[in-house]
């Protein structure tokens, strides 16, 4: 299976290379938008049109991020459903691949989907055993989470990934953490598309999921 991973688009919608599964790791809409009505309109127009350019054979699964206030009280309602699967502490299956999606991260200023420990750890405890793909917004501690004040990822998320060892975990949130990492047997991807100035900087991360493991096909700056 070929998987494309993108997070932190902040309204920038890149070309998606051919893939079987597109994973979207949150912070979808225009940057710093707290206007829920405007965000809902963007999703129903610009974001929908982008999704509709994808081949019907590409499954799309996404979560929200800390800028996506429109999702904090659940998936917004549209006259027509968006052509994707939105996950919020929930699961889906694509071609036999079990995917769990969750948008939370350690409290980060006054943004959406903030939680402190131990409530945050309880969210990770919801992830079922045997999950193949963990789709996140915030990264685990020490992986793809650098800031001038040090790592800001979730320590309890790291412990949960180490315990579950999903085949793939995908997040974003910390733009400077873009890249592919290994956490034991788990391939972890920070797929942030924009840089710290909210400008497109990084290519969508393209992976092949095989019986032998996860192979990075395309990753790097634009």
């Amino acid at each position: 299976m070929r998987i494309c991973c993108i997070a932190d688009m902040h309204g920038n919608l890149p070309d998606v290379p051919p893939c079987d599964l597109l994973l979207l790791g949150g912070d979808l809409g225009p940057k710093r938008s707290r206007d829920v009505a405007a965000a809902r309109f963007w999703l129903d127009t610009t974001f929908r049109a982008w999704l509709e350019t994808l081949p019907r054979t590409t499954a799309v699964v996404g979560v929200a991020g800390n800028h996506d206030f429109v999702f904090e009280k659940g998936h917004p309602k549209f006259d027509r459903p968006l052509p994707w699967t939105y996950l919020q502490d929930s699961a889906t299956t694509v071609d036999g691949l079990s995917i769990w999606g969750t948008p939370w991260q350690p409290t980060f200023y006054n943004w959406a989907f903030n939680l402190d420990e131990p409530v945050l750890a309880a969210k990770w405890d919801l992830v079922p055993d045997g999950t193949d793909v963990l789709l996140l917004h915030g990264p685990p501690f020490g992986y793809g989470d650098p800031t001038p004040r040090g790592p800001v990822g979730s320590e309890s998320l790291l412990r949960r990934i180490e315990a579950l060892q999903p085949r793939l975990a995908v997040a974003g949130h910390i733009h400077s953490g873009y890249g592919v990492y290994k956490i034991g047997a788990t391939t972890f991807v920070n797929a942030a598309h924009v840089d710290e100035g909210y400008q497109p900087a990084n290519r969508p991360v393209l992976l092949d999921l095989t019986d032998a493991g996860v192979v990075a096909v395309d990753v790097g700056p634009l």
Side-chain angles (χ1 to χ4, degrees), residues 53-76:
T53 67
L54 301 176
R56 293 183 180 274
T57 54
T58 298
V60 184
V61 180
V63 297
N66 61 295
H67 287 255
D68 295 321
F69 287 91
V70 66
F71 290 102
E72 262 203 311
K73 295 183 179 179
H75 196 299

Side-chain angles (χ1 to χ4, degrees), residues 155-220:
E155 295 188 28
S156 60
L157 174 58
L158 176 60
R159 292 193 297 269
R160 189 62 173 150
I161 290 174
E162 290 173 334
L164 292 176
Q165 290 289 283
R167 299 174 73 184
L168 175 64
V170 177
H173 188 42
I174 305 302
H175 303 171
S176 58
Y178 173 86
V180 178
Y181 307 80
K182 292 294 289 187
I183 305 173
T186 299
T187 297
F188 170 69
V189 176
N190 180 322
H193 178 57
V194 302
D195 60 17
E196 295 299 320
Y198 291 83
Q199 297 301 308
N202 302 312
R203 299 195 301 274
V205 177
L206 202 60
L207 310 166
D208 277 345
L209 187 64
T210 71
D211 291 340
V214 180
V215 179
V217 175
D218 189 25
V219 57

Side-chain angles (χ1 to χ4, degrees), residues 89 102-107 113-127 154-157 159-160:
D89 299 318
T102 182
W104 305 96
Q105 75 274 312
T107 298
F113 296 106
N114 281 340
L115 287 176
D116 294 321
E117 303 288 5
V119 181
L120 192 58
K123 290 294 186 182
W124 316 136
D125 286 343
L126 297 174
V127 183
S154 168
E155 295 188 28
S156 60
L157 174 58
R159 292 193 297 269
R160 189 62 173 150

